[in-house]
Amino acid sequence: MTAPGAAASGHTALQRALGQAPGRRRPTVLDAFDIARRRFREGRRIEMQSLADELGVNRVTLYRWVGSREQLITEVLWAATQKSFARYREMLPQGPRAAAALTRFVRDVNEHPGMQRLLRAEPDFALTLLTSTSGSYQRRYLGLVRDLILEDRAAGLMSDEIPLDDLAYTAVRITESYIHTRVITGEEPDAERAEAVLRVLLR
């Protein structure tokens, strides 16, 4: 009996796709996302036309898949952020982790080739994308920081004097201030200064 969803030949769509030569497989939206992430890691500009060319699709198809360039870069940045904080959770010792994780995030962002290229080459675009309260990245990042603080509080490792939402918002703004320092004040970013402030705030 042929299993539901299997072709008459007995091969599933997955088996057929895996059996194709790499050059014959049709590109998908996930291929576009993977290439964009790779370019970001390498410190290269994510440009829609060249991305479409590499995929072998036209710009209309690419925009239909990912939305605007802003939406695509937002998802690339958010994927990198989630990956970073997942790593922090594994590597940080038991104890209050919010301040330590946020400090590492500031340091990692300030050393990341993709972020440095974005902040230097497109500072206004980057600032709007990452810090605007109307943007999806800001909302998700705020929720992530809120959850970190809530975990420390639930474990009795942090004071609850300040309302949770206010504290999360303040912590987010502090990390942003020490990431976007060059754009805001013209000074070089400094994770050590961020750590001093975060450890006092998140205690």
Side-chain angles (χ1 to χ4, degrees):
M1 179 181 294
T2 302
S9 63
H11 294 294
T12 65
L14 175 60
Q15 290 170 331
R16 291 195 299 274
L18 292 173
Q20 287 182 346
R24 295 182 59 192
R25 186 174 66 84
R26 291 183 178 180
T28 70
V29 62
L30 292 180
D31 293 318
F33 185 55
D34 287 342
I35 293 172
R37 292 177 70 183
R38 187 189 72 225
R39 291 186 178 192
F40 179 67
R41 287 194 304 269
E42 294 171 351
R44 298 164 58 196
R45 178 182 169 86
I46 298 174
E47 182 58 57
M48 300 297 274
Q49 183 60 64
S50 62
L51 182 56
D53 291 342
E54 184 170 346
L55 286 162
V57 300
N58 59 45
R59 285 167 58 93
V60 173
T61 297
L62 181 59
Y63 277 102
R64 187 175 69 247
W65 282 351
V66 305
S68 65
R69 177 173 181 260
E70 177 179 329
Q71 289 173 300
L72 173 58
I73 294 176
T74 295
E75 295 307 323
V76 168
L77 293 171
W78 180 241
T81 299
Q82 287 183 301
K83 183 176 180 180
S84 292
F85 278 92
R87 187 173 71 252
Y88 304 150
R89 287 177 182 277
E90 294 178 356
M91 65 189 296
L92 289 172
Q94 294 298 317
R97 294 192 292 185
L102 290 173
T103 299
R104 287 180 180 272
F105 183 61
V106 172
R107 183 176 293 112
D108 288 348
V109 168
N110 289 336
E111 295 175 354
H112 192 284
M115 279 301 304
Q116 288 309 297
R117 195 221 64 84
L118 186 64
L119 291 169
R120 289 181 184 277
E122 303 177 80
D124 293 338
F125 173 73
L127 199 61
T128 300
L129 197 68
L130 293 165
T131 67
S132 173
T133 54
S134 63
S136 63
Y137 180 90
Q138 172 74 191
R139 292 196 301 272
R140 285 181 280 186
Y141 179 48
L142 181 59
L144 185 154
V145 173
R146 186 183 187 279
D147 289 345
L148 274 175
I149 294 172
L150 185 59
E151 287 176 15
D152 280 353
R153 283 189 169 181
L157 300 170
M158 186 188 298
S159 167
D160 60 0
E161 296 177 58
I162 302 175
L164 176 60
D165 289 339
D166 291 343
L167 187 58
Y169 178 83
T170 302
V172 164
R173 289 309 189 197
I174 288 172
T175 62
E176 291 171 343
S177 296
Y178 287 99
I179 288 171
H180 304 290
T181 311
R182 189 181 295 108
V183 180
I184 298 170
T185 68
E187 298 179 289
E188 289 300 309
D190 187 345
E192 302 304 319
R193 292 169 62 189
E195 180 176 22
V197 177
L198 287 167
R199 288 197 179 279
V200 172
L201 179 69
L202 303 175
R203 63 182 181 182

